[in-house]
Amino acid sequence: GVYPNPIAGKLRIGITGMTLRENYHAVLMDAMGRVVLRASTAAGPGTAVIELDVKDLPAQTYFLKLFNDRRDKVLVQPIVKQ
């Protein structure tokens, strides 16, 4: 899951249920589609957390894209920065 949302400081992305070791990538984009933050982690099997520090970003709605190296597991979710 992605928490908290809305957010003021650190955004945490929990990745669960992996059966293989995979690289996961989180990309935060503004409303114009520009990448403002990115992070990656090698995760699994089990669970992992990616953190993005958004405290210095302006208040607005962003879009989080989470995907693995094969891009067969993709999540896109709006994130509100307060």
Side-chain angles (χ1 to χ4, degrees), residues 13 15 22-28 37-43 50-52 64-76:
I13 304 132
I15 306 166
E22 295 186 88
N23 294 318
Y24 279 83
H25 311 279
V27 176
L28 195 65
L37 287 174
R38 65 176 69 225
S40 297
T41 189
I50 298 177
E51 289 188 346
L52 294 173
L64 172 69
K65 183 175 182 179
L66 178 69
F67 55 94
N68 63 1
D69 282 342
R70 296 174 301 184
R71 296 184 184 260
D72 64 349
K73 297 177 184 170
V74 177
L75 164 80
V76 177

Side-chain angles (χ1 to χ4, degrees), residues 42-57:
T47 63
V49 175
I50 298 177
E51 289 188 346
L52 294 173
D53 190 349
V54 300
K55 71 177 182 287
D56 294 332
L57 295 178

